[in-house]
Amino acid sequence: MSRQQEELMSKAEDVADQVLRHGKHVLPHVARLCLISTFLEDGIRMWCQWNEQRDYISATWGCGWFIGTLFVVINLVGQLGGCIMVLSRQQVPIACGLLWGIIALQTIAYSILWDVRFLMRNLALAGGVILLLAESKAEGKSLFAGLPSMGENTSKTYMQFSGRILLVLMFLTLLRFEFSFLHIVQNLIGLLLIGLIAVGYKTKLAALVLVVWLTSMNLYFNAWWTIPDYKPMRDFLKYDFFQTMSVVGGLLLVVALGPGGVSMDEHKKKW
């Protein structure tokens, strides 16, 4: 990297640090809200489309009315209950377990396991939930400052690493393999950003830029509120919109928490 590039990168990091310094008290709350938004929306949808969801599961799996109803109840209670626990900061590890269970259940029930694009999105969502758990461990540690960690730092470090790696899968699903100059530039910049986040180099800056990028793309491509209620496309766009918002929330947690011990940023401190 040339000296001019290093100076430019340093200035960009200074701007990012200023933004984070002014928003450090708000950022974690916004990150959590964004991250659980897809679960919150889906839980509300289960309530509003109770009969449709029950009948879909019953018809798809031939499991009958009772199992279909049980599926809707588990999704409704698990998602809304988990969201309330996360936002109130009560029993967050249990809430994360509930949300992971919902991701696994829906991956099987909706046959997402065989669709690479949607599977990668669900894995990215699971990565965001891992970061929620890592954040709760950081909060727990701060309550008992000065006491031995009993290996807690190690588990938190690897959770941050695995959550970070899973989050970048979302952006891979947004790459557009069209041979136009604009798409090639978008793909190259996107791959550079997710590469930086994956290895943990200039992580906060890269994650912050990717947050702006994903949010802009989400508002442009998934503007579900512009589609009339009676069109099926509205539900598809809404699904994509809130899943992307959840990954944005995960990236904001990366910004708030940092990359963790398994990262180039952390190793640079030891050089």
Side-chain angles (χ1 to χ4, degrees):
M1 186 180 289
S2 68
R3 185 169 181 175
Q4 286 184 334
Q5 289 175 319
E6 287 181 353
E7 289 178 356
L8 183 63
M9 186 71 75
S10 179
K11 288 180 180 178
E13 285 187 302
D14 289 341
V15 171
D17 285 338
Q18 288 293 328
V19 172
L20 297 177
R21 195 172 294 114
H22 286 94
K24 64 181 179 180
H25 298 298
V26 178
L27 184 62
H29 302 291
V30 174
R32 289 186 216 110
L33 183 60
C34 288
L35 205 155
I36 59 99
S37 63
T38 192
F39 298 105
L40 191 60
E41 186 275 331
D42 196 55
I44 294 171
R45 183 166 60 88
M46 288 292 166
W47 176 262
C48 296
Q49 300 179 3
W50 181 288
N51 293 333
E52 292 92 330
Q53 294 297 321
R54 180 199 62 205
D55 294 343
Y56 173 81
I57 294 298
S58 298
T60 302
W61 293 95
C63 56
W65 176 88
F66 178 76
I67 298 298
T69 301
L70 186 61
F71 172 83
V72 176
V73 170
I74 290 172
N75 275 272
L76 174 65
V77 175
Q79 291 185 106
L80 295 184
C83 290
I84 291 170
M85 292 163 74
V86 167
L87 292 177
S88 64
R89 313 308 295 150
Q90 299 295 320
Q91 301 296 329
V92 175
I94 294 175
C96 290
L98 285 172
L99 298 180
W100 277 323
I102 295 298
I103 293 171
L105 178 62
Q106 292 192 354
T107 299
I108 296 170
Y110 294 130
S111 300
I112 291 173
L113 203 57
W114 316 117
D115 188 317
V116 175
R117 179 172 174 267
F118 285 104
L119 179 61
M120 290 173 72
R121 289 192 168 206
N122 270 20
L123 288 173
L125 195 55
V129 178
I130 290 173
L131 290 173
L132 269 179
L133 185 59
E135 186 203 21
S136 75
K137 282 187 172 290
E139 287 181 343
K141 183 175 179 293
S142 68
L143 293 175
F144 302 100
L147 295 180
S149 66
M150 300 295 288
E152 187 174 325
N153 287 343
T154 302
S155 62
K156 176 175 172 286
T157 292
Y158 285 107
M159 279 190 287
Q160 286 179 268
F161 173 67
S162 56
R164 201 174 72 231
I165 295 299
L166 288 173
L167 276 179
V168 303
L169 295 178
M170 167 60 89
F171 196 84
L172 292 177
T173 67
L174 300 176
L175 295 178
R176 303 181 70 181
F177 298 100
E178 299 176 19
F179 293 100
S180 70
F181 177 75
L182 180 60
H183 288 139
I184 290 172
V185 170
Q186 285 179 338
N187 288 347
L188 289 175
I189 294 174
L191 287 171
L192 174 63
L193 289 172
I194 64 175
L196 291 174
I197 292 171
V199 300
Y201 181 68
K202 306 290 184 183
T203 317
K204 290 187 176 183
L205 176 60
L208 201 56
V209 173
L210 196 51
V211 163
V212 175
W213 184 301
L214 275 178
T215 302
S216 301
M217 292 180 68
N218 199 27
L219 291 171
Y220 181 77
F221 289 111
N222 296 322
W224 56 270
W225 53 89
T226 63
I227 307 296
D229 290 343
Y230 61 86
K231 291 191 175 182
M233 182 57 70
R234 181 184 174 94
D235 282 338
F236 286 113
L237 291 181
K238 186 186 285 189
Y239 172 83
D240 279 355
F241 179 86
F242 283 104
Q243 277 225 325
T244 305
M245 285 302 296
S246 289
V247 174
V248 166
L251 288 169
L252 286 174
L253 278 182
V254 170
V255 174
L257 291 173
V262 186
S263 64
M264 290 183 65
D265 286 342
E266 189 65 26
H267 286 293
K268 277 171 56 184
K269 297 176 183 177
K270 301 175 184 178
W271 295 349

